[in-house]
Amino acid sequence: MRIATKIISGYAILIALMAAVLVYQVASIHHMQSINKNLSGLNFSAARTSIQLMRDRDLVEEYTKKSFIVGDPDYVEKLREFKEGFASSLQDMQYLGRSEREQVEINRLVQFWEEFSQALARELAVLTPGTMPSELDQHLERLRAQVQTVHQVSLRTIEAEVGKAADTGAKAEWISWSAAAIALVVSFLVSFFIVRSISEPLHHLTEGTRAVAEGKFYYRLDASRNDEFALLAKDFNTMTARLNELDQMKKDFVSHVSHELKGPLASMQETTHMLLEEIPGSLTEKQKRLLDLNLLSSKRLSSMLENLLDMSRLEAGVMEYELTTQELVVLIQTVVSQLEPQALEKTIRVEPDLPAKPLIVECDGDRIIQVLSNLLGNAIKFSPPGSVIKVRAFSVAALPETMPASWREKVTEDGDSAGFALVAVSDSGPGVPDAHKEKIFEKFHQVKQGKKISGQGVGLGLAICRTIMEAHRGAIWVEDNSNHGSGSVFWLLLRLGSSQEGVTHRTSSPL
Ligand code: ADP
């Protein structure tokens, strides 16, 4: 179902529910109003009239007795007036009495009244003053009892109506509460389902975008749903597929061009060497200096091309390692002796501090030399002239405290080792700011500190070092050089290995 349809139907359910509750409440209020109107308009008037009836009956009795005992025509006249009063009240009562019980009792009263009226007319025709006919007494007594009954019945009718109003009120209250509770639960469920149906695909989309930001162009979203998110997922997948294609094209291009450039560059270097050795003929000092500069630049160009090719191999996951037992101190000495002339050119002293005891590690010697050359090369590049670069190596039983947590997990992944070999390259250059300490090990990341330092490459060296150290189950990280005011210390960690014979092959995972 489409998101818009889901939201509209969800809210339509809620609105229908609210409307039903509202209609019910209005109907209840209307019902209670009619009960109240009944109570105040008819029932109370019936009660009032029944009291009036009792008063009229008392007067009729009083003047009947006076008429018969005294025999005065004035009393007889008054009696007629009171009789008319009673008859009129009785007529009102007939109209006001609503309940069945009231009607029955009022009809009986009407019957008793007619019988009394007939008996009175008979007796008045033969009136002899001084005597009260006993038949009239009996009629009056019956009338008194019946008027009382009518009064009681109209009171009970009021009570019943009040009870009915209270019942309807209570029922309306209960239904209102229940409807409100149901509406609350339904609105919670509807909101929950609407939010879930939006937040879930949104979460996947966020994950996908993050993956693309990390360069994982192979990431695909589930596009099997039947809503707007599925359309978005389809477009996202098309976009990542296209990005993947472009990325692959870029990798192929870089790898191809680097390869093609290597040949001509090697022959240019060879030619320069031949010229410097003065094979074709002797050179002036100025010409030699210019050729030296030419050779230096072509070496830098060739190291950049090597880095680009290494990167292509790492990205394709085809970098192979030949792990053999190596003496780490020997590898360090090789690198120091290779780069010392470069340091001396900048009047920088490289001070090795290496243990007499051999540090046996299982590694690909060439690759570890590559890492060490990169670190020492960077230290020379970034150190000021006249400074000292220290290269220390030693063994430790446990992982150093200062090692970043991200490396700790990788190093301890496949169980305990016989200890670790640590190499530290310390310089007194500008150092690496905290915000860049992890990032400089990512591809093409460089710290911008004023103008570019001569010899600074394209930011691939440390990314390659990191991948090589990962393949060795080792670690590489940078800290501030606390022994010196400024500068940095690049640390290398390798597992100390048993000096077993043979070669292990390993490939690093694709970048
Ligand atoms: P490149 O040196 O070719 O730029 P790297 O990957 O070797 O590439 O280094 C990445 C960045 O890390 C450098 O550009 C520099 O900003 C920083 N960096 C590396 N080594 C040092 C160092 N010893 N002192 C200060 N900054 C360094």
Side-chain angles (χ1 to χ4, degrees):
M1 205 196 286
R2 292 181 53 198
I3 301 286
T5 322
K6 265 185 208 164
I7 296 177
I8 291 170
S9 22
Y11 283 102
I13 293 175
L14 286 184
I15 291 167
L17 204 70
M18 295 299 176
V21 172
L22 201 73
V23 167
Y24 176 77
Q25 281 180 338
V26 169
S28 301
I29 291 168
H30 186 74
H31 184 50
M32 279 162 73
Q33 250 178 356
S34 77
I35 291 175
N36 284 343
K37 213 195 268 169
N38 242 355
L39 264 177
S40 56
L42 293 171
N43 297 50
F44 286 123
S45 306
R48 243 192 342 261
T49 314
S50 70
I51 292 169
Q52 185 60 42
L53 267 176
M54 284 197 283
R55 273 201 220 111
D56 289 346
R57 193 219 64 90
D58 288 348
L59 287 169
V60 168
E61 182 177 357
E62 189 188 330
Y63 279 87
T64 305
K65 283 183 177 163
K66 278 182 180 167
S67 301
F68 278 93
I69 291 166
V70 182
D72 188 335
D74 286 345
Y75 285 138
V76 176
E77 190 50 42
K78 279 265 182 221
L79 173 61
R80 195 167 295 123
E81 270 175 36
F82 292 131
K83 260 187 78 198
E84 273 169 19
F86 185 89
S88 134
S89 300
L90 192 56
Q91 217 171 6
D92 290 348
M93 199 62 199
Q94 271 179 305
Y95 162 72
L96 293 169
R98 282 295 161 107
S99 73
E100 214 178 304
R101 181 102 170 81
E102 265 180 310
Q103 283 301 333
V104 169
E105 295 305 335
I106 291 168
N107 286 343
R108 188 173 291 158
L109 183 63
V110 170
Q111 188 199 331
F112 288 174
W113 174 249
E114 278 168 5
E115 283 170 15
F116 166 76
S117 300
Q118 285 164 9
L120 182 68
R122 274 197 313 270
E123 291 299 335
L124 277 176
V126 288
L127 186 139
T128 19
T131 48
M132 171 70 191
S134 61
E135 190 196 356
L136 287 183
D137 262 341
Q138 281 166 12
H139 277 295
L140 283 169
E141 202 43 51
R142 239 176 22 160
L143 275 176
R144 178 205 304 278
Q146 191 54 27
V147 168
Q148 283 286 349
T149 309
V150 168
H151 179 62
Q152 290 303 326
V153 168
S154 64
L155 285 184
R156 246 172 272 133
T157 306
I158 291 175
E159 272 169 27
E161 290 286 319
V162 170
K164 214 155 85 182
D167 280 354
T168 313
K171 200 170 144 205
E173 191 186 345
W174 186 85
I175 290 183
S176 299
W177 276 114
S178 319
I182 292 169
L184 213 69
V185 171
V186 172
S187 37
F188 176 77
L189 288 177
V190 167
S191 311
F192 175 77
F193 284 117
I194 290 176
V195 168
R196 210 183 62 162
S197 67
I198 295 173
S199 73
E200 216 174 301
L202 214 56
H203 176 71
H204 291 312
L205 195 65
T206 314
E207 271 182 358
T209 325
R210 203 167 290 153
V212 170
E214 285 167 8
K216 296 174 187 158
F217 300 128
Y218 51 82
Y219 198 95
R220 296 290 179 272
L221 288 176
D222 173 21
S224 61
R225 292 163 64 110
N226 189 21
D227 56 19
E228 291 90 334
F229 281 110
L231 294 177
L232 200 61
K234 269 185 205 139
D235 289 346
F236 178 92
N237 290 346
T238 315
M239 178 191 77
T240 47
R242 187 84 190 101
L243 281 175
N244 207 12
E245 256 172 47
L246 289 174
D247 193 50
Q248 195 51 49
M249 272 165 68
K250 181 208 78 185
K251 284 176 190 165
D252 291 348
F253 174 78
V254 170
S255 152
H256 187 72
V257 170
S258 315
H259 234 285
E260 291 302 307
L261 286 178
K262 254 178 87 177
L265 194 63
S267 76
M268 276 162 69
Q269 277 180 359
E270 199 47 46
T271 318
T272 317
H273 268 300
M274 280 165 72
L275 285 171
L276 279 170
E277 280 165 19
E278 299 184 332
I279 295 170
S282 57
L283 298 170
T284 63
E285 274 313 302
K286 205 171 174 185
Q287 284 169 330
K288 273 188 190 168
R289 263 206 317 280
L290 287 170
L291 284 173
D292 273 336
L293 276 178
N294 194 12
L295 194 63
L296 201 71
S297 299
S298 62
K299 273 184 185 161
R300 269 183 42 210
L301 196 57
S302 129
S303 114
M304 277 185 199
L305 283 179
E306 278 308 325
N307 273 351
L308 283 172
L309 280 171
D310 278 350
M311 210 60 209
S312 306
R313 277 186 225 122
L314 286 171
E315 280 177 334
V318 293
M319 181 83 110
E320 290 240 337
Y321 299 90
E322 277 188 8
L323 302 185
T324 53
T325 303
Q326 299 277 350
E327 221 289 60
L328 188 59
V329 173
V330 175
L331 300 182
I332 298 171
Q333 279 164 343
T334 313
V335 172
V336 170
S337 58
Q338 275 175 2
L339 293 185
E340 218 158 19
Q342 199 180 315
L344 285 175
E345 261 176 44
K346 267 184 86 178
T347 63
I348 292 171
R349 217 171 64 242
V350 180
E351 258 182 25
D353 177 5
L354 306 172
K357 215 173 88 186
L359 291 175
I360 306 296
V361 290
E362 201 196 3
C363 69
D364 183 324
D366 288 342
R367 292 292 167 202
I368 293 301
I369 285 182
Q370 186 181 352
V371 173
L372 287 168
S373 304
N374 204 296
L375 295 189
L376 192 55
N378 278 350
I380 296 169
K381 257 190 299 191
F382 290 99
S383 290
S387 60
V388 177
I389 295 170
K390 287 193 177 143
V391 183
R392 285 183 297 141
F394 50 95
S395 63
V396 284
L399 292 174
E401 294 276 299
T402 52
M403 186 171 142
S406 51
W407 280 109
R408 198 170 289 273
E409 282 160 27
K410 288 180 197 160
V411 174
T412 49
E413 214 167 57
D414 47 354
D416 281 342
S417 88
F420 306 95
L422 276 173
V423 183
V425 180
S426 335
D427 63 50
S428 40
V432 180
D434 286 347
H436 296 268
K437 281 198 169 69
E438 286 205 15
K439 289 201 175 132
I440 54 167
F441 294 98
E442 288 169 14
K443 282 188 285 182
F444 306 115
H445 189 90
Q446 295 183 311
V447 184
K448 301 261 173 324
Q449 306 195 42
K451 63 179 173 51
K452 214 170 173 175
I453 286 178
S454 122
Q456 204 170 359
V458 285
L460 283 179
L462 290 179
I464 295 171
C465 292
R466 191 195 69 190
T467 322
I468 294 175
M469 293 316 291
E470 274 173 357
H472 281 83
R473 315 269 191 272
I476 182 170
W477 72 99
V478 63
E479 289 174 20
D480 290 331
N481 190 354
S482 49
N483 291 334
H484 197 272
S486 66
S488 46
V489 185
F490 279 82
W491 289 93
L492 269 198
L493 179 134
L494 281 164
R495 292 157 160 269
L496 284 175
S498 54
S499 47
Q500 63 187 33
E501 292 298 311
V503 182
T504 316
H505 288 273
R506 200 179 278 168
T507 46
S508 53
S509 43
L511 261 184

